[in-house]
Amino acid sequence: MSIRISAEHVVKKYENGKVTVIPDLSLVIKDGEFFTLLGPSGCGKTTFLRILAGFNTLEGGRILFDDTVMNDVPAQKRNIGMVFQNYAIFPHLTVRQNVEFGLKQRKISGEELKKRVDEILKIVKIEEFADRLPDRLSGGQQQRVALARAIVISPSVLLMDEPLSNLDAKLRIEMRTTIRELQKKVGITTVYVTHDQEEALAISDRIAVMKLGELQQIGQPMEIYLRPYNTFVATFIGFSNLFRGTVRMENGRPAVVLNEDCVLHVPDLDESVEDGQEVIVSMRPNEFHYADRGLRVRVISSTFLGQNMSYKVAFENALAVELEDENELTEPMNYLERKLNAGDTACIMPMENKANVFTADGARSLIKGVTIYGGE
Amino acid sequence: MAANRKWKPDFWFWLTVVITLVLLVFLAYPLFTLFIRAFQNGADGSFSLDNFVRFFSKNYYKRGLKNSMIIGFSVTGLAVLIGAPLAYLMATYKFKGSRVIDILIIISLLSPPFIGAYSWVLLLGRSGFLSDLFAKAGIRLPSIYGLGGIIFVLTLKLYPFIYIYMKGALKKIDVSLIEASESLGCTPVKKVFTVVIPLVLPTLLAGALMVFMNAIADFGTPMVLGEGLNALSTMVYTEYINEIGGNSNFSAAIACIMVVITMVFLGAQQYVINRKSYTMSSLKPIKKQKFTGIGGVFAHIGAYVILAFSIIPHITVLVTSFLKTEGKMFRQGFSLDSYRTVFSSLARPVLNTYKYCLAAIVVIVILGMFVAYVSTRKKNVLTRFIDAVTMFPYVLPGAVLGLTLLMAFNKPPMVLSGTSVIIVIALVIRRLPYTLRSSTAIMYQLSPSVEEASISLGCGPVKTFFRITAHMMLPGVLSGAILSWVTVINELSASFILYSSRTITMSVSVYQQVVRMEYGTAGAIATILTLTTILSLFIFFKVSGSSEVDL
Ligand SMILES: Nc1ncnc2c1ncn2[C@@H]1O[C@H](COP(=O)(O)OP(=O)(O)OP(=O)(O)O)[C@@H](O)[C@H]1O
Ligand SMILES: [Mg+2]
């Protein structure tokens, strides 16, 4: 039976309350959903996952599975399946014994035990290793064992903390497909932690982006990518160029002025914007086209990426917000209008309908209907 | 809202409390007693520095202190001079029989403590075998008695510490460091002094500290070879015997002085190590080279000579145990007389040793696993206290520990003196720091997520400890336990103060036979002890799958 998970005003402090890692977190994970926690290192993803698992205490708020408050339920009674970054296979037990372990705790034996174990071993394609000890398995195989062991107990929730980060790139993609298919087949509520945004976009039903223990945005992958709630999300998920601009009312309709040659009539701007308001505009590297007027860029370097050309550029007549990386443009090779070299200059225009506009501090989107919790 | 989970005392909490109480009663309280007694006037029990004043005002005692210092420093220096170059040669060159050399060195380190002393007496003592032989040829060999002899015997007994520590450290040096220095034009000798020595210095110091502490704590060797020469370790005992009936305040003071000395040296060593330690993990260990030319011949001869000196005592013991005896005299020819005597009239020490040591090992294993678990996984104030207290026995010489326990448990409510329990306690406490160090190291290698995986699968924390954690710890803990076993069956200095006629152990019995000059039976018991040691080490090597011991 899968369940809905609610976190209500969860507070987590370490070191006897001296360090607050999660100040106040509320969210709802829907029944049967593949939910991903995404954020930079140290933002509290693992901490929150371990709160759900019952391994971390919480210093405030509540955790509910459906309508049951779980705060006082110890980890071994929560009926969760957990998959760890380092697999955490029991080294002294064979693959089969590893998978049987949780079922035996549930006093399942005999025919049913064997049936369920065989079935799951087959699903994750490790039946031929059933009698091996784990130290003679590859990383990918060990992770399959861990997955089988977690799922075979029919848990209410499946929790996974960066389960793929110890695998090589190719295996990672293969395993993530396996995980995704398995999750859909079993229909189990899954909370998945990663700091790999591409993985998150590919695998999730919904993503929660976190920073310093605070929720930045929850939404479907497309929503988060196309309509980020703030500049942190815009720059953390994929790359975005940020510009400073000013709102100008033209015939009662707001436009965003980057410079006099570049006035963007962004559709769906929030009604609250005022004439003269300072804003930030974010554009993805591929959301520009060449133009006669607009933003003048000087190419600093160019990199050939196979399907795309990627340019590092400096904007000469617009206020780009300083980023850690340099600003970036990419252009799909099949649309390549001209090849630019280092030192070349060009004029480009942002695509108005792709633009995202934020308040001057970058904290909030000024596009209609974009909220932290998304349009559920 | 905020229905936070209330803290409830769980299994681990109670376990921590129990361990703390046990340590308080059997370790902290005795030490406290010792300390108090040392500062009490023997006559009226008032607090004073009388005991220390007496110690430092009498030449007799000051000489004992001086002797201990001379023994400590000379043995340490000589052990480094023998052990370090030997380790370097063995680690960098291909040696004929290097594995045998390693194992023999380990055996000679772990063998009964004063076997060396008494077999050298048999060889070089008055009317000793070798001294007679050389005397016939008109050569007078130097005397084995006195300071010189003690230093000689202890050096041969303790240089293996340096050897084993150094070999471990040299294994961790990355060969590229040495190659780099060679490519920068370092000559081989300069290379050793500018690259190798600085890198292994912390380990060398740790080994030197072990040698020093063992040398000044050693009790059997000065007893057998001293002939009236006193050292701190023997004074603790003799003063205790002389004071009997009194409150042993004076020997408590001597014990305190010993503890302070070892603590000072431990502190100094820690200070240097903290400032000069490097973490090395060797990707490319040093590859052993082939010897070329005459140097190789000399190196082999040198190593074999050192080894011969280490092994001679054991061979002497073995041979004497099979000699025909008549009363205290050896006769021509061989027999099993000594063994017959042992099994007919001296079976008790043999059985006692096995019984006590087995009991001690069981306690050590269980305590070791529990303490290691709570002090790595359930850190709190109590576990920090446990960590601190359990390191104390490290600086307690055996005789001091014996005295400490005796003083604490020789009157109601807890009269343990003369019982087997007190000997088992002493054995457990002596091994405690080593046991805990190895089992905590094992715990740190086990990822907590394996335990969490088990818990998340529905297996409660306590059950998880027994079903998962304990299983994973077991191989490491067992090989540690075998080493503990080897050291406790050979324990002398604490047992010597604690034994009674009913609870006598093998090593004490060997000592008694030596004092009575029953060298045949002494040899027989010592051989049984050595054989047990060798057998246990053999099992250790099989179980741990390595040819190294971590001491
Ligand atoms: N047991 C602990 N005691 C004290 N501080 C902790 C503890 N565990 C985590 N923290 C701190 O809490 C913060 C969040 O840690 P957490 O492990 O949840 O991050 P994360 O998002 O999982 O990061 P990563 O992507 O690197 O795994 C970090 O600043 C970390 O230092
Ligand atoms: Mg993490």
Side-chain angles (χ1 to χ4, degrees):
Chain A
M1 266 323 287
S2 76
I3 46 125
R4 181 186 73 243
I5 302 173
S6 323
E8 296 176 353
H9 301 286
V10 165
V11 181
K12 176 67 205 168
K13 296 174 179 171
Y14 279 122
E15 331 240 326
N16 293 325
K18 286 198 276 290
V19 186
T20 304
V21 177
I22 297 177
D24 179 1
L25 186 69
S26 299
L27 51 81
V28 173
I29 299 164
K30 294 178 212 161
D31 189 350
E33 150 173 87
F34 198 113
F35 189 87
T36 298
L37 297 166
L38 177 64
S41 189
C43 73
K45 307 180 293 290
T46 299
T47 301
F48 182 66
L49 197 75
R50 291 171 55 85
I51 289 176
L52 297 183
F55 293 128
N56 280 350
T57 54
L58 58 173
E59 274 67 49
R62 334 191 273 172
I63 296 292
L64 292 92
F65 285 8
D66 284 336
D67 298 319
T68 321
V69 179
M70 299 304 283
N71 292 27
D72 287 328
V73 180
Q76 69 269 22
K77 303 242 172 78
R78 292 195 180 190
N79 195 30
I80 41 171
M82 194 146 179
V83 179
F84 296 83
Q85 183 173 2
N86 61 354
Y87 322 135
I89 305 289
F90 307 133
H92 58 295
L93 302 180
T94 63
V95 168
R96 175 177 291 279
Q97 288 167 333
N98 263 280
V99 178
E100 281 172 349
F101 188 87
L103 290 175
K104 287 198 172 148
Q105 300 307 316
R106 286 160 176 74
K107 306 272 178 292
I108 292 166
S109 57
E111 270 305 298
E112 191 190 349
L113 179 76
K114 188 169 170 357
K115 196 179 119 250
R116 282 173 72 172
V117 172
D118 284 342
E119 190 183 32
I120 195 76
L121 288 177
K122 203 157 163 197
I123 292 178
V124 296
K125 304 195 187 78
I126 43 170
E127 68 264 51
E128 73 237 57
F129 310 117
D131 297 315
R132 276 204 198 167
L133 281 172
D135 60 352
R136 294 183 45 224
L137 295 180
S138 72
Q141 289 160 350
Q142 291 194 36
Q143 197 55 293
R144 285 169 191 273
V145 178
L147 198 59
R149 186 181 66 179
I151 285 184
V152 75
I153 60 172
S154 313
S156 324
V157 204
L158 186 59
L159 304 178
M160 296 195 249
D161 192 354
E162 311 207 22
L164 305 183
S165 60
N166 282 353
L167 303 178
D168 67 49
K170 199 158 163 253
L171 207 52
R172 213 155 45 216
I173 291 177
E174 187 189 318
M175 272 305 283
R176 98 183 170 206
T177 318
T178 308
I179 290 177
R180 175 71 184 167
E181 282 169 0
L182 190 58
Q183 189 268 340
K184 279 290 152 249
K185 188 146 129 201
V186 192
I188 180 178
T189 313
T190 300
V191 187
Y192 188 94
V193 164
T194 180
H195 58 238
D196 179 340
Q197 34 129 340
E198 187 199 312
E199 190 172 293
L201 294 174
I203 204 167
S204 319
D205 290 325
R206 283 196 309 150
I207 299 174
V209 183
M210 292 173 63
K211 175 191 166 190
L212 294 174
E214 292 186 45
L215 195 63
Q216 304 297 309
Q217 186 173 9
I218 292 190
Q220 292 165 3
M222 285 255 270
E223 221 178 324
I224 287 198
Y225 187 84
L226 296 176
R227 287 295 181 220
Y229 179 70
N230 57 28
T231 50
F232 172 80
V233 177
T235 50
F236 183 73
I237 314 275
F239 186 87
S240 290
N241 299 292
L242 301 183
F243 305 95
R244 295 210 177 279
T246 316
V247 174
R248 186 159 76 199
M249 287 298 172
E250 292 181 348
N251 312 326
R253 284 188 52 225
V256 180
V257 183
L258 299 189
N259 63 44
E260 280 313 318
D261 288 337
C262 184
V263 178
L264 305 175
H265 299 275
V266 182
D268 296 331
L269 263 187
D270 200 84
E271 271 111 28
S272 68
V273 296
E274 293 164 8
D275 195 51
Q277 182 179 356
E278 310 240 306
V279 294
I280 290 179
V281 174
S282 91
M283 304 299 311
R284 301 276 174 198
N286 57 347
E287 294 170 346
F288 297 92
H289 55 81
Y290 289 108
D292 299 335
R293 320 178 322 138
L295 302 173
R296 245 197 347 273
V297 294
R298 189 166 38 75
V299 176
I300 296 166
S301 67
S302 63
T303 314
F304 172 59
L305 295 177
Q307 296 196 338
N308 297 310
M309 274 309 282
S310 167
Y311 299 106
K312 297 268 176 233
V313 298
F315 289 92
E316 296 195 323
N317 58 353
L319 272 172
V321 177
E322 289 288 324
L323 293 172
E324 280 162 34
D325 315 278
E326 278 161 314
N327 287 296
E328 198 174 291
L329 299 177
T330 58
E331 212 182 337
M333 286 303 284
N334 46 346
Y335 292 124
L336 196 62
E337 291 180 38
R338 51 185 125 150
K339 162 110 174 52
L340 300 174
N341 294 313
D344 289 353
T345 53
C347 229
I348 56 172
M349 270 302 271
M351 301 173 185
E352 289 168 328
N353 57 341
K354 297 275 173 71
N356 280 293
V357 182
F358 304 98
T359 52
D361 57 4
R364 187 163 61 81
S365 175
L366 292 172
I367 305 291
K368 248 184 231 151
V370 178
T371 64
I372 288 198
Y373 288 97
E376 287 175 48
Chain B
M1 28 197 276
N4 293 335
R5 205 184 300 172
K6 293 256 165 21
W7 183 82
K8 273 187 287 202
D10 58 1
F11 174 78
W12 299 114
F13 172 78
W14 291 119
L15 185 71
T16 312
V17 169
V18 169
I19 293 172
T20 309
L21 286 178
V22 167
L23 291 173
L24 275 177
V25 172
F26 292 109
L27 190 51
Y29 161 68
L31 281 174
F32 185 70
T33 315
L34 178 83
F35 192 70
I36 296 290
R37 291 275 175 91
F39 286 94
Q40 266 177 344
N41 182 305
D44 55 14
S46 63
F47 283 92
S48 74
L49 289 175
D50 288 357
N51 299 318
F52 295 95
V53 172
R54 175 163 159 223
F55 184 92
F56 285 106
S57 59
K58 286 227 170 110
N59 272 335
Y60 173 78
Y61 300 119
K62 277 197 281 186
R63 220 176 311 125
L65 174 63
K66 196 173 130 205
N67 285 337
S68 276
M69 289 295 108
I70 293 175
I71 293 171
F73 281 109
S74 325
V75 170
T76 309
L78 289 171
V80 169
L81 286 183
I82 295 174
L86 188 62
Y88 183 73
L89 284 178
M90 300 282 284
T92 49
Y93 290 99
K94 287 204 175 102
F95 243 86
K96 290 219 167 20
S98 63
R99 206 178 136 73
V100 177
I101 294 178
D102 271 0
I103 291 179
L104 287 180
I105 286 180
I106 293 170
I107 289 174
S108 73
L109 176 65
L110 293 176
S111 62
F114 58 95
I115 281 201
Y118 101 77
S119 30
W120 285 109
V121 168
L122 287 178
L123 295 170
L124 294 176
R126 264 164 237 113
S127 73
F129 176 69
L130 285 180
S131 16
D132 281 359
L133 207 69
F134 279 81
K136 270 183 204 142
I139 303 166
R140 262 199 68 205
L141 291 177
S143 165
I144 192 71
Y145 300 103
L147 265 187
I150 297 175
I151 292 171
F152 170 75
V153 168
L154 280 179
T155 304
L156 282 180
K157 162 109 180 100
L158 296 175
Y159 83 87
F161 269 122
I162 304 282
Y163 176 82
I164 292 169
Y165 274 54
M166 280 289 284
K167 250 191 115 192
L170 287 166
K171 259 201 195 126
K172 290 203 198 114
I173 293 187
D174 202 294
V175 72
S176 52
L177 291 172
I178 293 180
E179 283 167 355
S181 75
E182 278 166 357
S183 74
L184 294 169
C186 257
T187 63
V189 175
K190 223 175 139 192
K191 171 184 86 187
V192 170
F193 281 93
T194 54
V195 182
V196 178
I197 289 189
L199 286 175
V200 298
L201 192 65
T203 314
L204 191 60
L205 284 177
L209 181 74
M210 283 302 275
V211 173
F212 183 87
M213 295 203 306
N214 275 278
I216 67 164
D218 191 275
F219 173 79
T221 312
M223 284 297 254
V224 173
L225 295 179
E227 301 218 304
L229 174 142
N230 57 346
L232 289 175
S233 54
T234 56
M235 280 194 311
V236 167
Y237 175 70
T238 49
E239 289 304 315
Y240 171 75
I241 296 291
N242 292 342
E243 267 185 299
I244 221 109
N247 277 327
S248 347
N249 302 75
F250 188 60
S251 39
I254 302 178
C256 275
I257 291 171
M258 280 185 91
V259 173
V260 168
I261 291 171
T262 42
M263 278 169 64
V264 166
F265 281 93
L266 178 69
Q269 181 244 13
Q270 294 286 326
Y271 179 74
V272 177
I273 282 188
N274 282 343
R275 301 189 35 196
K276 279 208 190 306
S277 78
Y278 317 91
T279 41
M280 291 186 290
S281 58
S282 176
L283 295 172
K284 240 172 89 189
I286 296 173
K287 226 174 148 186
K288 293 189 182 179
Q289 293 165 300
K290 270 222 176 69
F291 273 119
T292 47
I294 192 82
V297 178
F298 278 120
H300 273 93
I301 291 176
Y304 292 152
V305 166
I306 293 172
L307 203 68
F309 272 101
S310 304
I311 291 308
I312 282 173
H314 300 282
I315 296 176
T316 314
V317 166
L318 189 69
V319 172
T320 52
S321 76
F322 286 108
L323 285 182
K324 252 194 196 134
T325 53
E326 196 181 290
K328 297 183 179 177
M329 303 297 285
F330 290 123
R331 295 276 144 201
Q332 282 292 319
F334 294 93
S335 80
L336 290 173
D337 290 349
S338 304
Y339 289 93
R340 257 175 232 127
T341 318
V342 169
F343 285 113
S344 61
S345 60
L346 287 170
R348 173 176 278 169
V350 180
L351 290 180
N352 278 351
T353 302
Y354 289 136
K355 268 196 301 210
Y356 301 164
C357 294
L358 211 59
I361 292 303
V362 171
V363 178
I364 283 173
V365 166
I366 294 174
L367 199 63
M369 297 226 284
F370 279 147
V371 173
Y373 186 83
V374 292
S375 73
T376 49
R377 294 281 198 268
K378 309 274 165 191
K379 291 194 176 112
N380 59 34
V381 187
L382 286 184
T383 63
R384 271 194 291 278
F385 169 81
I386 293 175
D387 287 346
V389 170
T390 47
M391 281 329 279
F392 236 94
Y394 192 62
V395 294
L396 286 184
V400 173
L401 176 67
L403 179 71
T404 309
L405 290 175
L406 206 50
M407 283 191 328
F409 299 117
N410 64 355
K411 55 178 183 299
M414 270 205 275
V415 185
L416 296 178
S417 51
T419 65
S420 50
V421 175
I422 200 165
I423 292 186
V424 173
I425 293 174
L427 297 179
V428 170
I429 292 181
R430 284 212 81 178
R431 279 307 294 179
L432 207 53
Y434 305 93
T435 315
L436 290 187
R437 198 184 51 193
S438 65
S439 44
T440 344
I442 298 168
M443 272 312 292
Y444 276 118
Q445 281 170 7
L446 300 181
S447 158
S449 55
V450 178
E451 288 151 42
E452 287 171 359
S454 162
I455 294 173
S456 76
L457 290 168
C459 186
V462 177
K463 214 167 148 200
T464 293
F465 176 83
F466 290 102
R467 303 235 0 218
I468 303 292
T469 322
H471 272 277
M472 294 193 301
M473 290 179 80
L474 213 53
V477 168
L478 276 190
S479 53
I482 299 174
L483 278 190
S484 295
W485 161 260
V486 170
T487 34
V488 293
I489 57 172
N490 291 311
E491 209 283 338
L492 173 71
S493 41
S495 327
F496 194 75
I497 290 189
L498 296 171
Y499 85 94
S500 68
S501 59
R502 274 187 311 114
T503 62
I504 186 167
T505 59
M506 273 200 264
S507 52
V508 176
S509 172
V510 176
Y511 178 83
Q512 281 187 343
Q513 303 302 313
V514 170
V515 172
R516 290 184 204 140
M517 300 214 263
E518 304 265 9
Y519 291 121
T521 41
I525 304 176
T527 302
I528 297 175
L529 211 45
T530 310
L531 275 183
T532 313
T533 305
I534 293 176
L535 206 68
S536 313
L537 279 175
F538 184 73
I539 296 174
F540 169 80
F541 292 135
K542 274 269 171 290
V543 168
S544 69
S546 87
S547 61
E548 274 145 46
V549 293
D550 178 20
L551 294 160

